[in-house]
Amino acid sequence: MSESTAPIARPPAPTREHYLNVKYGIKSWLLTVDHKRIAILYLISITAFFFIGGAAAVLIRLDLATPAGDLVSSETYNKLFTIHGIIMVFFFLIPSIPAVLGNFLVPIMIGAKDLAFPKLNLLSWYLYMIGGSFTLWAMIAGGVDTGWTFYAPYSTTYANTHVIATALGIFVTGFSSILTGLNFMVTIHMMRAPGMTWLKMPLFIWAQYATSIIMILGTPVLAITIVLIAIERLLGVGIFDPALGGDPVLFQHLFWFYSHPAVYIMILPSMGVISEVISAFCRRAVFGYKFIAFSSLAIALLGFLVWGHHMFVSSQSPYAGMVFSLLSFLIAVPSAIKVFNWTATLYKASISYQTPILYAFGFIGLFTIGGLTGLFLATLAIDVHVHDTYFVVAHFHYIMVGGAIMGFLGGLHYWWPKMVGKLYPEAWARFSALVIFVGFNLTFFPQFLLGYLGMPRRYHVYDPEFQVLHVLSSAGASILGIGYLIPMVYFLWSLRYGKDAGPNPWDAKGLEWTIPSPPTTFNFEEPVTVGDVYDYPTEDETPPWKQGSSEGAHV
Amino acid sequence: MSEIGEHHGALAHHFEDLEQQRQSADLGMWIFLATEIMFFGALFAAYAVCRWMNPAGFSTGTSLLDVPLGTVNTAVLIGSSLTMVWAVQAGHRGDSRSIIRNLVGTLLLGSVFLVIKALEYSHKFHDGLVPGSLFTYGGEQAAGVEMFLCFYFVMTGLHALHMVIGFGLLVWLILLARRGRFTKEYSNPVEGVGLYWHFVDIVWIFLFPMLYLLEH
């Protein structure tokens, strides 16, 4: 806080004990039960998986630069998009915000010393690593070519690749997700500091709570589905294979019962981050707190009722299709409520344009595009036309990359000073946020056009008429890739050379900003009581020098 | 919370008092059981769909199961739930000896269940009523019967796996009780494992009629 302008070198400040320096050595990390250290373990692991999944994406985009598909063979191409999907969905996106930022912040934001079950939390990380190692092994040993969706009967009868090993990896990792969700739910129910009633919780906590509901109710269904796939493959009994008397649509129902809500596992935590970031950089409480809080719950619950929209063309009953279509339109309402409320918060606020809010702007715009194109896909007739085309690919990347990853990066920038006690270089961070935004749009916007024109997904040999758009997309992907590398570099750089952050570099409200950075092992030295976590000055308290110019100066 | 509560050895550092710790552990177990319901629920749903598609094969399959052994096992398992309830009650009283006695009873009844189950499995193996390469059933509905047996083994196998995990938990509790860890103020683990054990029982209560009795 005390950045003096004195030119003389400051004597090294007496080192304060905090969670990072309280103990050293590999063992103190691998056996830690501190939620903050576990968050760091997750951050390192998911970053590694992100770059593995990203490398697969680079190869895919390189191959698609020419219509002939001449870089890799068709088999390899199938394995590449499968690796990309599995790694990014199960090993990066799903754990990203909950396991890193959630782990770090849930106890701190509600005034607790740790999660309710610290050992279980460590177990979650180990399960994640075991599952991840299994899946990686399967990929090195020869890979899988079923796509991340494992559709039967291809996955159960015909695929000649490491389906069972990969499935086992995902099965184990699923329990990591379940246990994290369980831990968050119990913590949020039981360990809030005195004064923090449900309706005083930070919106990030509401988002984590809603996400946890999906994790604990959805993931077990995927787990048993994977078990059935493995058993059908091992024993040759037709649960899903129609040639053996089974029902492949049953597989799709079971799979999407989890995997559609899983999209909300990815996006809800990001929405929580955006609510916090917007309120911090607009210096006001988010407009319509209750609407944002309850829309998270509404998304979690409605999210379980829309899975059938993945199966409009899979011999599902047309009446079921109509109901699923209607419900899919409905779930757009709570998402739209959030977008309206964030926008209303931005309206006439004195915004400071730091990196986190740049990501929040990116999120709002890209998520809106992703959400609106989702409505196209929820429309039965249009879905028949664009089903399994690049339109779908573009749509879900706008949600999962444009939404979820923007939120993750925004949150990481926002809380990085709290996590490590150092500031990242602001100019570089703004620059990379811009690079990522441009790269992202250049990569995925052409894919909407490709899909609308009829380019099917998962093909690597295509009609030459699509090449221009594919080349644009590949060019965008290379920009996007560089955009992701820059933060990696400056975050590491800041660990050593970054300026000291002080407890509250953003002058933000919320319990996490009342304690030193990095926090001590037990977060709070004294018992906490909570008033209003969004205690920003109201309009009436605006200093007089600001009031006169409120008409246009502060956009 | 009372003085005793606040300085109780079992109080973890991050909880305010034993009551908060107990409620958290309870809630955690209930949430875990919710995930278990979804886990078995999806399996039951798959069973229902497959049964609906192959009614004849599934009822033939049902007629191949040993109803008397299944009935005995149901009774044994319900008995083990009774001893488990007694153990939880003893926990509330802080009566370590009674906790141990009842947990050992639960363990024994659970073992009887698994022995009978193993007997049933070995009969099935002997008769070639096992899905996969060992399957030798030659009747009319062979494909449907094989699918039924596949569900039979997956469902009862997962149930048995849950029981084996339960055994581990029971042994852990017995060791804790012998060391005198449970007092009137603190017996959460007994309560939590009790919930788990009853859940595993209830799963069987659904499995038994679905697999053994539903012939038509």
Side-chain angles (χ1 to χ4, degrees):
Chain A
M1 287 306 276
S2 58
E3 271 134 54
S4 61
T5 47
I8 44 163
R10 275 179 293 175
T15 42
R16 189 178 59 82
E17 188 175 89
H18 51 73
Y19 82 101
L20 289 169
N21 68 7
V22 65
K23 266 189 213 154
Y24 290 98
I26 265 288
K27 223 174 126 186
S28 76
W29 281 91
L30 292 184
L31 297 177
T32 184
V33 288
D34 181 351
H35 64 103
K36 298 179 289 300
R37 284 190 159 211
I38 295 171
I40 301 289
L41 290 176
Y42 266 116
L43 178 60
I44 297 167
S45 347
I46 67 159
T47 306
F49 277 108
F50 177 74
F51 281 103
I52 296 171
V58 167
L59 291 174
I60 292 170
R61 280 317 325 167
L62 273 178
D63 187 67
L64 288 172
T66 58
D70 35 18
L71 179 69
V72 294
S73 68
S74 302
E75 288 76 20
T76 311
Y77 184 81
N78 291 348
K79 287 175 184 172
L80 282 176
F81 71 67
T82 306
I83 292 177
H84 173 68
I86 289 177
I87 297 272
M88 287 304 199
V89 169
F90 295 111
F91 297 98
F92 174 72
L93 283 167
I94 285 177
S96 61
I97 295 184
V100 178
L101 299 176
N103 237 328
F104 195 93
L105 291 162
V106 166
I108 299 180
M109 280 183 151
I110 63 171
K113 288 179 186 156
D114 206 322
L115 287 173
F117 308 115
K119 286 179 195 156
L120 204 63
N121 194 20
L122 183 64
L123 177 66
S124 299
W125 182 72
Y126 274 101
L127 289 174
Y128 170 81
M129 290 308 281
I130 293 168
S133 316
F134 236 94
T135 305
L136 276 186
W137 173 82
M139 280 160 189
I140 293 164
V144 203
D145 63 350
T146 58
W148 78 281
T149 46
F150 288 102
Y151 265 27
Y154 183 70
S155 62
T156 57
T157 310
Y158 304 104
N160 210 359
T161 46
H162 291 74
V163 176
I164 294 181
T166 312
L168 200 63
I170 294 170
F171 178 83
V172 173
T173 307
F175 284 94
S176 146
S177 180
I178 290 174
L179 295 180
T180 302
L182 185 155
N183 224 334
F184 284 1
M185 278 186 94
V186 175
T187 307
I188 294 168
H189 268 279
M190 299 302 306
M191 304 190 62
R192 280 169 288 127
M196 180 163 287
T197 56
W198 282 90
L199 291 178
K200 283 186 180 167
M201 294 194 314
L203 289 163
F204 181 74
I205 300 293
W206 274 106
Q208 291 296 338
Y209 188 80
T211 310
S212 303
I213 294 176
I214 306 174
M215 284 173 156
I216 63 155
L217 295 182
T219 321
V221 175
L222 179 75
I224 195 69
T225 310
I226 286 173
V227 169
L228 290 177
I229 284 276
I231 283 171
E232 174 159 341
R233 217 177 140 77
L234 278 173
L235 301 179
V237 178
I239 299 167
F240 301 130
D241 185 349
L244 300 168
D247 183 5
V249 182
L250 172 65
F251 172 80
Q252 296 182 22
H253 276 293
L254 290 172
F255 178 80
W256 289 113
F257 183 85
Y258 165 77
S259 296
H260 191 78
V263 176
Y264 302 107
I265 297 182
M266 304 172 205
I267 198 73
L268 272 170
S270 270
M271 292 169 157
V273 169
I274 299 310
S275 299
E276 297 297 326
V277 165
I278 285 192
S279 116
F281 293 94
C282 292
R283 313 213 41 73
R284 49 162 71 153
V286 169
F287 176 77
Y289 170 94
K290 281 187 189 167
F291 280 91
I292 294 206
F294 290 122
S295 62
S296 290
L297 289 184
I299 289 173
L301 299 178
L302 278 173
F304 276 110
L305 305 176
V306 300
W307 79 88
H309 66 215
H310 293 271
M311 297 151 60
F312 286 158
V313 296
S314 302
S315 86
Q316 177 182 251
S317 137
Y319 301 107
M322 286 176 204
V323 174
F324 279 123
S325 169
L326 183 71
L327 287 165
S328 306
F329 280 117
L330 274 184
I331 201 166
V333 174
S335 308
I337 286 175
K338 283 182 194 284
V339 172
F340 286 135
N341 285 4
W342 291 325
T343 317
T345 314
L346 291 168
Y347 181 66
K348 285 192 176 178
S350 352
I351 304 167
S352 47
Y353 294 95
Q354 312 279 10
T355 312
I357 204 165
L358 298 184
Y359 279 106
F361 291 156
F363 177 99
I364 296 176
L366 302 178
F367 173 74
T368 303
I369 295 176
L372 290 176
T373 51
L375 294 180
F376 291 31
L377 292 166
T379 313
L380 286 161
I382 297 180
D383 186 66
V384 172
H385 175 56
V386 292
H387 183 84
D388 264 349
T389 67
Y390 266 77
F391 192 88
V392 178
V393 176
H395 155 70
F396 72 72
H397 280 90
Y398 265 78
I399 300 289
M400 292 178 181
V401 184
I405 298 186
M406 288 282 175
F408 175 67
L409 285 174
L412 198 59
H413 283 85
Y414 180 50
W415 284 296
W416 183 256
K418 182 53 60 186
M419 295 172 86
V420 304
K422 303 283 186 183
L423 292 175
Y424 57 83
E426 190 64 44
W428 276 103
R430 286 181 187 171
F431 171 67
S432 74
L434 188 70
V435 172
I436 289 174
F437 184 78
V438 170
F440 172 83
N441 281 297
L442 189 56
T443 310
F444 292 106
F445 200 83
Q447 297 187 4
F448 279 125
L449 306 177
L450 276 171
Y452 193 77
L453 295 173
M455 168 81 203
R457 68 191 288 198
R458 294 180 171 174
Y459 281 35
H460 83 132
V461 178
Y462 57 84
D463 199 291
E465 67 173 294
F466 296 128
Q467 192 178 8
V468 175
L469 290 168
H470 268 304
V471 167
L472 281 179
S473 181
S474 295
S478 52
I479 297 174
L480 187 59
I482 292 167
Y484 286 139
L485 284 171
I486 304 173
M488 171 94 178
V489 173
Y490 65 68
F491 275 139
L492 288 174
W493 177 89
S494 77
L495 287 179
R496 194 176 172 96
Y497 304 105
K499 277 192 223 149
D500 275 346
N504 191 356
W506 312 122
D507 198 16
K509 305 290 177 179
L511 281 178
E512 76 270 32
W513 303 111
T514 63
I515 56 172
S517 316
T520 54
T521 301
F522 298 131
N523 304 337
F524 300 96
E525 300 298 316
E526 292 139 29
V528 198
T529 46
V530 187
D532 183 0
V533 291
Y534 294 112
D535 187 21
Y536 290 101
T538 58
E539 302 298 327
D540 305 337
E541 289 169 38
T542 313
W545 50 267
K546 248 184 176 178
Q547 276 170 356
S549 60
S550 65
E551 273 308 302
H554 301 286
V555 182
Chain B
M1 208 51 214
S2 66
E3 279 290 294
I4 317 159
E6 287 193 14
H7 301 287
H8 197 283
L11 180 63
H13 68 86
H14 56 295
F15 287 112
E16 294 298 318
D17 54 45
L18 276 176
E19 181 57 19
Q20 189 193 25
Q21 183 172 348
R22 188 186 66 77
Q23 287 187 12
S24 301
D26 267 9
L27 181 62
M29 184 48 83
W30 279 110
I31 293 175
F32 177 70
L33 295 184
T35 73
E36 288 275 32
I37 288 173
M38 295 307 288
F39 185 77
F40 279 101
L43 189 55
F44 286 10
Y47 172 88
V49 170
C50 288
R51 177 156 199 135
W52 173 72
M53 289 193 308
N54 305 278
F58 272 57
S59 39
T60 315
T62 298
S63 67
L64 296 171
L65 295 188
D66 195 329
V67 178
L69 282 184
T71 312
V72 171
N73 249 353
T74 309
V76 168
L77 212 52
I78 292 174
S80 79
S81 258
L82 183 66
T83 51
M84 193 72 226
V85 173
W86 284 336
V88 173
Q89 272 193 339
H92 290 182
R93 292 196 309 273
D95 181 351
S96 286
R97 289 189 54 192
S98 173
I99 294 178
I100 295 172
R101 213 178 318 121
N102 283 303
L103 289 180
V104 170
T106 311
L107 203 56
L108 287 178
L109 287 168
S111 313
V112 171
F113 177 93
L114 281 191
V115 168
I116 294 179
K117 199 79 232 152
L119 223 65
E120 282 189 74
Y121 278 180
S122 71
H123 289 166
K124 294 281 166 296
F125 270 89
H126 189 256
D127 299 341
L129 294 173
V130 186
S133 54
L134 297 174
F135 187 69
T136 57
Y137 180 80
E140 256 179 49
Q141 296 290 336
V145 168
E146 191 179 10
M147 200 192 289
F148 172 82
L149 287 170
C150 184
F151 273 105
Y152 167 78
F153 277 101
V154 172
M155 289 170 139
T156 55
L158 280 173
H159 177 259
L161 177 69
H162 278 78
M163 292 198 57
V164 171
I165 293 167
F167 283 3
L169 295 171
L170 289 172
V171 170
W172 171 65
L173 288 183
I174 292 169
L175 292 177
L176 284 182
R178 279 177 55 141
R179 274 186 242 145
R181 287 293 172 80
F182 299 130
T183 59
K184 220 173 172 163
E185 291 84 21
Y186 174 77
S187 64
N188 318 339
V190 186
E191 217 170 308
V193 175
L195 282 174
Y196 173 83
W197 191 264
H198 296 318
F199 171 80
V200 176
D201 264 19
I202 290 170
V203 170
W204 178 258
I205 301 290
F206 280 90
L207 285 180
F208 177 58
M210 263 172 54
L211 294 171
Y212 287 76
L213 303 181
L214 207 62
E215 277 201 47
H216 299 291

